[in-house]
Amino acid sequence: MTGNSPSPTNAGDTIRMEPMGKYKQTQNGNVRPQGTESPAGPTKKSLYENNGVATCSQKRALFIATVVFAVLFAVALIIAYTGPQSDCTCAGEKPPNYVDEDWNVTKVFVPRATNGQVFPWNNIRLPSIVKPTRYNITIHPNLTTLEVKGQVSIEFHVDKDTNFVVLHSKNLTITDKLVQDKKGHNLRITKLLEYLPAEQIYLEIKDKFRKRNNYTLSLRYTSKLNREFVGFYISSYISKDGDRRYLATTHFEPTYARAAFPCFDEPQFKAKFKMSIFRDRFHIALFNMPVVTTEEAGFYMGTGLLRDDFQESVEMSTYLVAFIICDYTHMNEQTKKGVSISVYTPPPFISQASFALNTSTQIMDFFEDFFMVPYPLPKQDLIVIPDFATGAMENWGLITYRDTAILYDPIETSTAAHQLVAVVIAHELSHQWFGNLVTMKWWNDLWLNEGFASFFEYLGVDSLFPEWKMMEQFILDKTQPALALDALVSSHPISVQVHDPSEIEAIFDTISYSKGASILHMLGKFLQENLQIGLNDYLNSYKYSNADTKDLWNALSRNTNQSLEVKAIMDTWTQQMGFPLITIRRENNEIVANQERFLLTTDELNSTARLMPKSKYDYKWYVPLSYFLDNDTGTVYNIWMNMTDVRFEIDSEIKWLKANVKQSGFYRVMYEESMWMEIISTLRRNHSVLNAADRASLIDDAFTLCRAGLLNASLALELSLYLINERDYVPWATAIAHFQSWSRRLSEALPYKLFLQYMRKLLTPVTKHVGWDEKGPHLDRLMRTDVLSTAVLCELNETIFTARNMFEAWMTKNQSIPPDLKEVVYSAGIKYGGLSEWQYCWGVYNSSNVPSERKLLLKALGVASDPWLLHRYLLETLDRNIVKPQDVKTVLAVVAANPEGRLLAWRHLKAYWPTMQSLFGNSTFMMGSLISAVTAHLSTPYDYYEVSTYFNGMDVGSAARALQQSLETIKLNINWVTHNGPEIYTWLKKYFGETVGGV
Ligand code: BES
Ligand code: ZN
C-alpha cells in the first residue's frame, strides 16, 4: 500500500499501551480515569490523558507504563493458568448433561471455548441481567499495516447477583482485561473464555457482581481492518492524480459491531457511546457525534498523531455506531432547527454532492414536522463509501452511502437514478426516528425499521417533489414486488423468529421492506390522519428505548377512538405469511366476495404446499375491501371482511366493479369471467374511465392469476391489448415487468418469437409517443427510458435504428447522449454491435468518474449477444480491482436475464461459488441475492435438476431461504410454460392471423 499512509520508518517507536482504569465523567463531559488530576494544560500531559492508546512519549510515562504492564501481565498469566477453573453450570440454558425429571440423561451439546474448556453459556442470546450503560471506546487504526489497537471500557448495571458476564466479540484479540466496581476497586477475574461459533466471550470473577450495582469492564484488544465490507474495514478510492487513497470505515448492522469492539451487540442493549480516535494529521475522523477536542497525541511509527475526542452520544443500539477515518472534503448546510447537515465525499466527487445536501436538509425539516419529534443530535453527516455492501446505512448522525445512492450529476445522471438518490436519502433519514430513536426489541421485528423506512421514503420524497407522483409509483416499487414474493410457499411472516446472525441477515428482504411498507400504506388508508397521531405517540412512548410490533398496534389503537381493533386487524397481516385472493362473484343483485390464501403453487406442487406451516389465523385476514362501480368510478366504497366473506347489494344494471382501489390493499382480486370480459372491453373502449393505478392493478392481478393457473393466458393477453392506447407510466411499467418475465420464461418455448413480435406491436405506439427528446413531466421521463429500453430488447427495429445511430455518434464523434437515453443507446449499441462497441463501453466504464454512468454501463455490457464476450465479462467480475464485489450481482443478474447469457451465468455461479464466497467474505450476505439473480429465469426441468443437485447438502448460510424461493420459482416457471405455452401460441397465431410453423 502506498499513498496517504505513514510508512513504518522509525522502528524505535513501538506502540505503548496505557494502564486501564475506571473512567469517570468530568463536568465538561470529557472522561478521564479516576484517581488522576485534572489536566494541567497542554504542556503537562498526564500519563492517563490519552485514554489509553498508542501515545505518550515522555520518559516518566514510559517507565511507569512499563512497570505497571509488567505487573499486570504477570498477574494475568497467573490468573490464566492457575486460577479456579470451575465448570460453572449456572450460566446458559442447560447444564452440559441435562438430567430431566425422570432421571433420563440427555446429552446436550456442550460448547467449547477456544482453549478447550467448557464455555458455560449455551445460548446465542446474551443474558439479560447485565445491562451496559456507557461505552468509552478508544481506537487507533493503522491504514498502512491494517492493524487496529483498541480499548473499550463498558459501564454496566447488574439486575441480579451473578459471577459472570457474557458479551460479543468477533475476530478480536483481547490483550488486557480489568473489572472494577463503582469505587474503582479491581475485581479478581478468574476466567476469560471465547466461544467462536456464538461470537461470545465469557468473563467470570471470583466474587459476585451484586444486584443493582454498577461496574466497569475494560478490555484492550487488537484486530485488523478487513476487506469484507462489514465490521471495521478498509476501503479506497482513486484521487485526481491517480493515487489510491485509503479510508477506514464501519458497517455494523445487524451483528458486526462485535467485530470492531467487544460489546453487548443486541439492539435492546442501548447505551451511551463516547469515542476517541487516533489518526494522522492529513486525515479526518468522523463519529456519530461531533468532535469536541483534537489534541496532539505523540509519535507513532515516525508520524505525529492527533487524537479526536467526540461528544458523548445519546442512548443507542450498537449496530448504529459508526466511525470513519478518511481524507474527504465536504459541504454543509443547516436545517431550519439548526441541525448541521454535511455531505462528505472523496475530493473528486464533491461536485456531485449538492443534490444530496439540499434534499437531505429539506427532508430532515419535513420529518421533524411530520413526526412532531425533533432530531436529537447536533449534526447529520452523509458520506460516500466507495466499497459498500448495501445501498446505504442509517448510522445515527453518520449515514453511509454507496456512491450511486448519493451522488448526482445533472448532466450525466438519469431521472430514475436521480429519483433513487432522493429515495435512499429519505429512507435513511426516516430511520433516524424509526429505528434509531425507537428500535425493535429484537430482529424478529426488523420490519419496524425497514417497513417504516420503506414507507416513509416515498412520503418524504413526495413532500419535496410532488410532481414526481411518488405515491403512484409506490404500488409499482413496493406492493407489486411484495405480492409477487409473498405468493410463494417459501415466503415468511413479517414477524419472524430469528436467532443467529445468518437468520438475522436473511430477513433483510422484500417481505420486511416492501410487504412491511405495503401494509403500512394499507393501514394509512383506513386510519387516515390517526396514523400520524398514533405514530407520534409511539415515538414519544418508546424514544431512546425499544418496542415490538404489539407496542406499535397499541399506540395506534389508543389514537383511533377505539373504533378499530388495530392489533386484531394487523396481526392477521404480520403474524401469518401470504395474503388473500378476493374472489368477486355476482349472485343476482348481490356481490359475494370470498377470501382464501393466494399461492402461485400449482397442483404439481401440492406436496410442497402440504408442508406449509399452519397459521393460527387459518390464513384468513381482516381485509379492508374497497371498490367502485362502473357507473360512478369516482365514488369509493369500503367494507370490512373480518376474516370472513362478505355480501353486498348492487343495482341490477351494474356490469362490473373494480376492487382494491388503486391497489392500496395488500391483496389480489379475481373476478368471474364475465366481469373480466366487461372490464377488458371497458379498458379497450376507453381506458381513462379507470385511474392509472387501477389499470396497473388490473394488469398485475391478471398476469399473476395467469401465473397461478387461475386465469387463462388468453384472458391476460386480451386485457393487454388495451395497452396499444396506454400512455401512462405506472401501467406500462407494470406490464413491461410481466412481459419481460413472460419472455424470459418462454425463451426456449414455441411461442417465443411470436411473443416478441406481440410486444413490439404493443410497444410501437408508445415508443412514438415518448419520442427521443428529453422533455415532459417526471413520470414521462421514467417511461421513456423503460419503454425504449424494452423496445431495444424485444428487437423493435425503428428504436434500434435511432439508438444505434446515437451510439455511433457518441463512439466516433463523442456526441453526448441525454441521461435518460443512455440506457437505451448503450444497450442497443452493445446488443446489436460487436467487439468494438463492447470494448468502447468497457473503456468508458473503466475511466468514468460518475458512479451512475458506471452502473449503467455495467448493466449494458451484459446485454451483449456474443457468448464469448459474455463469458469474458463474467470472468472480469472475479477481480475485485476491476469489478467491485458490491457490483458483481448486477453483472450476473443482467447476464442471466439475457437469453444468450442465462446458462453461462449459471455455469459461472457453479464454477466460482467458492471463489465468490471468499470474495464476499465470511458473511454470506450477498450470496442469497446472487442465487436469486442467476436462477430466477430458469424454466426447464433440467435446470431444476441442475440447481437442486448442485446445492444439495451445501451450507449456504443466510442464502438458504433465497435458494428455497429460487427452486420454487423454477418449478413454477416449468409448470407455467407447460400449461400456458400452447395456449399463448394459439392466441398469438390467431392474433397475427398467420400460420407460423414450428418457430
Ligand atoms: N438498514 C439498512 C442497511 C442494511 C441492509 C443493513 C441490509 C444490513 C443489512 C438500510 O436502511 C437500507 O435499508 N438500505 C437499503 C437502501 C434503501 C433505500 C432500500 C439498501 O442498502 O439496500
Ligand atoms: Zn433501511
Side-chain angles (χ1 to χ4, degrees):
M1 239 181 278
T2 55
N4 57 348
S5 296
S7 50
T9 47
N10 188 346
D13 269 332
T14 52
I15 192 146
R16 283 180 283 275
M17 306 287 281
E18 308 305 330
M20 296 182 295
K22 175 155 172 52
Y23 293 89
K24 263 216 151 169
Q25 194 81 21
T26 58
Q27 268 177 350
N28 62 9
N30 289 334
V31 282
R32 62 171 209 278
Q34 199 184 29
T36 60
E37 291 152 33
S38 313
T43 48
K44 185 175 182 239
K45 283 191 180 298
S46 146
L47 170 65
Y48 298 97
E49 268 179 55
N50 294 325
N51 283 3
V53 172
T55 62
C56 179
S57 53
Q58 290 183 356
K59 278 188 187 149
R60 189 172 67 101
L62 178 61
F63 175 69
I64 296 172
T66 315
V67 170
V68 170
F69 262 86
V71 173
L72 270 183
F73 186 67
V75 170
L77 278 182
I78 294 167
I79 291 173
Y81 293 103
T82 62
Q85 305 282 328
S86 80
D87 283 346
C88 168
T89 54
C90 47
E93 284 177 321
K94 284 176 188 171
N97 277 333
Y98 177 73
V99 184
D100 70 15
E101 284 142 15
D102 300 327
W103 291 93
N104 295 318
V105 179
T106 320
K107 273 267 176 205
V108 295
F109 172 73
V110 182
R112 292 273 163 196
T114 42
N115 64 358
Q117 284 184 30
V118 171
F119 190 80
W121 183 254
N122 187 8
N123 190 338
I124 191 92
R125 297 291 303 273
L126 300 182
S128 56
I129 56 166
V130 176
K131 298 195 175 84
T133 52
R134 172 177 285 118
Y135 290 80
N136 261 290
I137 308 168
T138 305
I139 208 152
H140 175 207
N142 184 320
L143 274 61
T144 306
T145 62
L146 305 186
E147 271 159 22
V148 179
K149 291 187 185 293
Q151 177 174 318
V152 61
S153 291
I154 311 173
E155 294 172 25
F156 60 90
H157 180 85
V158 179
D159 285 344
K160 285 190 189 150
D161 286 3
T162 176
N163 67 341
F164 69 92
V165 293
V166 184
L167 63 159
H168 289 109
S169 166
K170 183 177 171 162
N171 299 338
L172 306 176
T173 307
I174 295 183
T175 51
D176 282 294
K177 54 191 182 296
L178 183 72
V179 178
Q180 292 179 316
D181 64 14
K182 61 173 178 278
K183 292 191 186 135
H185 297 139
N186 292 4
L187 304 184
R188 184 158 162 212
I189 299 170
T190 48
K191 265 189 194 180
L192 179 64
L193 301 174
E194 180 171 18
Y195 180 52
L196 298 178
E199 302 168 356
Q200 289 171 347
I201 50 177
Y202 169 97
L203 182 135
E204 200 176 283
I205 55 164
K206 182 157 182 293
D207 299 322
K208 277 219 150 73
F209 296 114
R210 297 293 168 190
K211 67 181 170 203
R212 292 193 293 276
N213 271 305
N214 295 317
Y215 299 89
T216 305
L217 163 65
S218 302
L219 295 169
R220 193 170 284 154
Y221 60 95
T222 60
S223 68
K224 281 219 136 183
L225 292 170
N226 72 77
R227 295 180 167 274
E228 295 175 6
F229 299 26
V230 290
F232 196 17
Y233 70 98
I234 188 97
S235 173
S236 65
Y237 71 93
I238 306 291
S239 75
K240 279 221 163 76
D241 325 322
D243 295 338
R244 195 171 275 280
R245 305 270 169 151
Y246 291 91
L247 57 137
T249 182
T250 58
H251 178 96
F252 291 165
E253 192 182 16
T255 57
Y256 298 100
R258 63 191 69 170
F261 58 96
C263 57
F264 294 79
D265 200 9
E266 293 185 4
Q268 84 281 17
F269 289 126
K270 289 198 176 183
K272 294 182 172 174
F273 289 83
K274 186 136 193 354
M275 188 82 199
S276 296
I277 298 178
F278 287 90
R279 61 167 172 92
D280 288 323
R281 208 164 285 280
F282 48 85
H283 278 141
I284 54 169
L286 297 167
F287 174 59
N288 303 76
M289 300 295 287
V291 175
V292 188
T293 51
T294 301
E295 286 183 20
E296 297 280 349
F299 277 82
Y300 174 60
M301 286 189 166
T303 310
L305 289 181
L306 297 178
R307 192 192 70 243
D308 289 319
D309 294 327
F310 295 84
Q311 196 179 320
E312 183 169 82
S313 80
V314 295
E315 303 252 353
M316 59 191 278
S317 304
T318 44
Y319 79 89
L320 292 168
V321 173
F323 38 89
I324 298 166
I325 295 90
C326 62
D327 66 350
Y328 283 8
T329 161
H330 73 281
M331 52 206 295
N332 176 275
E333 227 174 82
Q334 302 254 316
T335 66
K336 281 192 194 132
K337 295 251 175 71
V339 179
S340 166
I341 312 282
S342 306
V343 179
Y344 285 85
T345 75
F349 299 106
I350 195 70
S351 63
Q352 298 174 52
S354 317
F355 175 71
L357 181 62
N358 253 303
T359 307
S360 47
T361 310
Q362 292 180 64
I363 291 184
M364 281 281 284
D365 285 333
F366 170 75
F367 282 147
E368 283 203 315
D369 284 351
F370 189 87
F371 300 143
M372 298 175 280
V373 176
Y375 174 76
L377 310 188
K379 62 106 174 171
Q380 181 70 272
D381 295 334
L382 290 77
I383 183 165
V384 178
I385 305 296
D387 301 283
F388 200 75
T390 65
M393 175 64 213
E394 70 268 24
N395 317 299
W396 212 344
L398 179 54
I399 308 177
T400 42
Y401 291 84
R402 182 184 280 222
D403 49 11
T404 45
I406 185 170
L407 299 176
Y408 168 71
D409 180 331
I411 310 290
E412 305 272 1
T413 312
S414 69
T415 306
H418 185 193
Q419 177 177 304
L420 185 78
V421 170
V423 166
V424 182
I425 286 173
H427 178 104
E428 306 309 337
L429 289 179
S430 74
H431 273 315
Q432 307 298 304
W433 286 264
F434 289 90
N436 301 10
L437 189 63
V438 177
T439 312
M440 71 256 138
K441 282 196 179 116
W442 178 244
W443 298 104
N444 61 324
D445 278 323
L446 175 70
W447 87 278
L448 290 178
N449 276 14
E450 298 304 345
F452 270 104
S454 304
F455 176 63
F456 282 122
E457 65 188 35
Y458 274 50
L459 214 69
V461 176
D462 188 54
S463 77
L464 224 63
F465 305 106
E467 69 283 8
W468 288 8
K469 303 202 173 152
M470 294 306 293
M471 296 326 281
E472 240 180 70
Q473 296 188 58
F474 184 91
I475 57 165
L476 187 64
D477 303 337
K478 309 290 174 196
T479 316
Q480 294 177 6
L483 286 168
L485 186 68
D486 206 22
L488 297 179
V489 178
S490 46
S491 184
H492 65 85
I494 283 188
S495 291
V496 63
Q497 290 301 313
V498 287
H499 307 95
D500 60 46
S502 77
E503 281 176 353
I504 296 168
E505 281 184 352
I507 53 162
F508 284 81
D509 68 357
T510 307
I511 297 298
S512 303
Y513 278 71
S514 301
K515 183 177 179 181
S518 305
I519 65 162
L520 289 172
H521 183 50
M522 175 166 76
L523 181 70
K525 291 281 166 195
F526 60 82
L527 288 186
Q528 305 275 336
E529 68 285 349
N530 286 339
L531 179 67
Q532 192 184 359
I533 299 165
L535 291 181
N536 171 260
D537 185 354
Y538 169 77
L539 288 172
N540 279 320
S541 306
Y542 300 101
K543 60 185 171 195
Y544 305 112
S545 177
N546 299 77
D548 60 22
T549 302
K550 158 177 66 46
D551 298 327
L552 169 70
W553 303 146
N554 289 339
L556 293 174
S557 289
R558 283 203 291 278
N559 293 281
T560 50
N561 312 322
Q562 309 298 328
S563 54
L564 279 168
E565 286 279 348
V566 179
K567 180 167 183 314
I569 296 169
M570 296 311 289
D571 276 349
T572 65
W573 295 96
T574 55
Q575 308 264 346
Q576 59 184 348
M577 60 173 152
F579 57 86
L581 171 66
I582 308 297
T583 311
I584 304 283
R585 201 175 69 241
R586 190 180 184 131
E587 278 182 12
N588 306 316
N589 280 358
E590 271 191 336
I591 291 290
V592 184
N594 291 328
Q595 61 162 306
E596 64 179 323
R597 181 181 179 193
F598 178 74
L599 275 176
L600 287 178
T601 319
T602 54
D603 286 347
E604 286 87 322
L605 291 173
N606 262 346
S607 54
T608 340
R610 255 182 263 119
L611 298 175
M612 200 167 61
K614 294 258 178 296
S615 158
K616 61 181 163 189
Y617 304 100
D618 208 17
Y619 293 109
K620 297 288 178 201
W621 286 262
Y622 282 91
V623 185
L625 183 69
S626 59
Y627 64 93
F628 57 79
L629 302 170
D630 61 2
N631 61 358
D632 177 10
T633 54
T635 305
V636 174
Y637 301 88
N638 293 295
I639 195 166
W640 277 100
M641 298 172 75
N642 298 331
M643 298 180 69
T644 54
D645 303 338
V646 286
R647 289 172 172 267
F648 52 90
E649 277 187 19
I650 52 163
D651 282 354
S652 54
E653 68 270 20
I654 300 293
K655 293 203 175 68
W656 57 267
L657 61 82
K658 160 73 178 58
N660 196 7
V661 177
K662 297 190 180 170
Q663 208 173 18
S664 59
F666 197 72
Y667 53 91
R668 294 205 179 275
V669 185
M670 166 85 176
Y671 306 91
E672 59 190 341
E673 186 160 346
S674 58
M675 204 180 277
W676 270 120
M677 297 320 284
E678 292 292 348
I679 294 173
I680 290 170
S681 74
T682 306
L683 278 175
R684 305 238 301 252
R685 233 182 4 257
N686 176 13
H687 64 270
S688 65
V689 170
L690 292 127
N691 180 287
D694 284 311
R695 304 198 296 268
S697 111
L698 287 166
I699 297 167
D700 191 40
D701 281 351
F703 275 77
T704 310
L705 291 166
C706 166
R707 179 144 165 73
L710 296 171
L711 209 64
N712 291 334
S714 340
L715 199 135
L717 286 163
E718 291 289 334
L719 187 147
S720 71
L721 276 171
Y722 104 89
L723 288 164
I724 297 259
N725 301 313
E726 180 60 82
R727 300 290 178 267
D728 263 314
Y729 171 63
V730 177
W732 257 119
T734 307
I736 284 173
H738 285 287
F739 284 165
Q740 284 181 344
S741 60
W742 272 37
S743 112
R744 283 175 200 137
R745 269 179 257 146
L746 289 172
S747 66
E748 289 177 34
L750 187 61
Y752 181 57
K753 294 284 171 181
L754 264 188
F755 184 67
L756 289 186
Q757 189 181 338
Y758 181 64
M759 281 176 71
R760 295 197 287 275
K761 169 92 186 183
L762 292 184
L763 278 164
T764 302
V766 71
T767 55
K768 299 217 163 81
H769 169 78
V770 294
W772 295 85
D773 295 330
E774 292 242 282
K775 57 173 195 210
H778 185 77
L779 291 188
D780 283 8
R781 291 169 185 254
L782 291 176
M783 181 162 69
R784 182 169 296 121
T785 309
D786 260 22
V787 158
L788 294 178
S789 309
T790 312
V792 166
L793 294 182
C794 71
E795 300 164 18
L796 188 70
N797 281 332
E798 243 181 273
T799 311
I800 294 167
F801 180 77
T802 314
R804 287 194 74 184
N805 280 341
M806 288 173 86
F807 188 94
E808 176 86 13
W810 172 63
M811 187 170 134
T812 55
K813 297 187 218 122
N814 204 15
Q815 213 167 81
S816 68
I817 306 166
D820 286 336
L821 297 178
K822 282 174 186 270
E823 182 180 340
V824 185
V825 172
Y826 296 162
S827 47
I830 300 251
K831 184 169 165 64
Y832 302 99
L835 182 61
S836 57
E837 284 82 359
W838 199 94
Q839 274 174 335
Y840 185 73
C841 285
W842 182 241
V844 180
Y845 166 76
N846 282 303
S847 60
S848 168
N849 198 18
V850 181
S852 57
E853 171 83 349
R854 284 166 56 84
K855 186 173 168 187
L856 269 187
L857 285 161
L858 209 58
K859 284 186 167 175
L861 288 160
V863 306
S865 307
D866 180 351
W868 178 81
L869 276 175
L870 291 173
H871 183 63
R872 303 299 312 160
Y873 190 32
L874 289 170
L875 290 178
E876 299 286 9
T877 64
L878 299 172
D879 184 342
R880 65 187 303 144
N881 292 321
I882 298 179
V883 177
K884 290 183 181 181
Q886 66 190 35
D887 295 326
V888 171
K889 192 203 117 189
T890 307
V891 177
L892 264 66
V894 277
V895 176
N898 177 352
E900 315 297 334
R902 180 165 318 146
L903 296 179
L904 287 176
W906 166 236
R907 194 182 67 156
H908 180 84
L909 187 77
K910 275 191 301 183
Y912 297 101
W913 179 259
T915 317
M916 284 190 261
Q917 244 169 346
S918 60
L919 199 66
F920 298 139
N922 288 331
S923 124
T924 44
F925 196 38
M926 291 193 258
M927 303 308 277
S929 56
L930 275 186
I931 297 180
S932 316
V934 171
T935 63
H937 319 301
L938 299 174
S939 32
T940 71
Y942 186 72
D943 296 332
Y944 184 85
Y945 167 78
E946 279 248 314
V947 178
S948 54
T949 335
Y950 179 75
F951 286 109
N952 191 20
M954 195 190 283
D955 177 14
V956 293
S958 63
R961 191 180 285 116
L963 173 62
Q964 241 180 332
Q965 288 166 346
S966 297
L967 286 170
E968 191 181 342
T969 306
I970 303 173
K971 248 192 187 158
L972 287 167
N973 292 348
I974 299 167
N975 269 293
W976 185 83
V977 175
T978 318
H979 285 113
N980 296 280
E983 185 179 332
I984 294 171
Y985 187 62
T986 313
W987 190 93
L988 289 170
K989 265 201 320 190
K990 189 158 156 245
Y991 177 74
F992 287 113
E994 53 182 66
T995 329
V996 183
V999 247

